[in-house]
Amino acid sequence: MFKSGVGFLALFGLGWWLLATSTFESSARLIAMVVGCAAAIGLMLAARRLLPASASEPFPADLRRRFLQVNGIQWLLILVVSQVCVRTGTAVLIPPLVAVVVGLHFLPLAAMFEQPRLRVPAALLTAAGVAGLAVWLLNGPDPVVRLVVGLVSALSLWGMAVWTVTEAASSAAVHVARE
């Protein structure tokens, strides 16, 4: 499953990073984009190298169906949020509200995969969205809303990816040491 989700975390983290860095000036933005791409690629390569082969095995059919349902609902909600915000002239609220939706989608995944640690990105992405809403409510400029939401969301997802890879690497090291 894209090496235990690390690929998804890396790529979606990159998407949030690009949102955050869209607020930078041209040369700083280019550097930030390169850094973000390097981070995402590095995470995917680390997952490929350090995670066990079993991390790539497909889900059982019932788990795959539930996973697709959770993600289908997430994408439907993102579409609805986007349309409502655009039609009401509040497109600036798309990133914060999407962060809340994405954050909340981790809660059923945590239960489904029996991975309580998925509550961490759930809390952090939801907090990123709430922080972006707070910036907007306090009349903060649109670029600051994007920066806050994008940066916190990217670092949250990448942090989760690092946690997954390092946990697997340390488990493998303990296993080798026992042998």
Side-chain angles (χ1 to χ4, degrees):
M1 182 57 198
F2 207 2
K3 283 288 187 175
S4 291
V6 171
F8 293 114
L9 295 168
L11 290 176
F12 283 107
L14 177 60
W16 287 110
W17 180 261
L18 294 176
L19 172 73
T21 61
S22 71
T23 65
F24 296 177
E25 295 298 321
S26 61
S27 60
R29 184 174 185 197
L30 180 61
I31 293 167
M33 289 172 63
V34 170
V35 168
C37 289
I41 290 168
L43 285 167
M44 289 186 284
L45 291 174
R48 183 174 183 202
R49 182 172 172 258
L50 297 172
L51 293 179
S54 62
S56 295
E57 293 176 2
F59 300 142
D62 62 325
L63 193 58
R64 184 173 45 248
R65 187 184 76 254
R66 289 188 312 194
F67 175 79
L68 292 173
Q69 288 171 341
V70 167
N71 281 288
I73 291 168
Q74 173 195 230
W75 286 106
L76 178 64
L77 289 172
I78 288 170
L79 180 63
V80 168
V81 161
S82 299
Q83 287 300 308
V84 168
C85 288
V86 167
R87 290 180 185 196
T88 60
T90 55
V92 65
L93 295 180
I94 294 172
L97 294 174
V98 167
V100 170
V101 169
V102 173
L104 293 176
H105 111 286
F106 279 103
L107 294 175
L109 295 180
M112 191 170 48
F113 292 122
E114 298 176 0
Q115 291 289 323
R117 67 193 182 118
L118 288 176
R119 293 181 194 142
V120 173
L124 293 173
L125 268 85
T126 302
V130 170
L133 290 170
V135 168
W136 179 74
L137 287 170
L138 295 171
N139 295 316
D142 294 2
V144 175
V145 173
R146 290 194 316 272
L147 178 64
V148 167
V149 174
L151 188 60
V152 174
S153 297
L155 295 176
S156 299
L157 293 176
W158 285 344
M160 188 67 203
V162 168
W163 186 6
T164 301
V165 170
T166 56
E167 185 177 82
S170 65
S171 293
V174 167
H175 180 71
V176 169
R178 288 184 182 161
E179 291 177 349

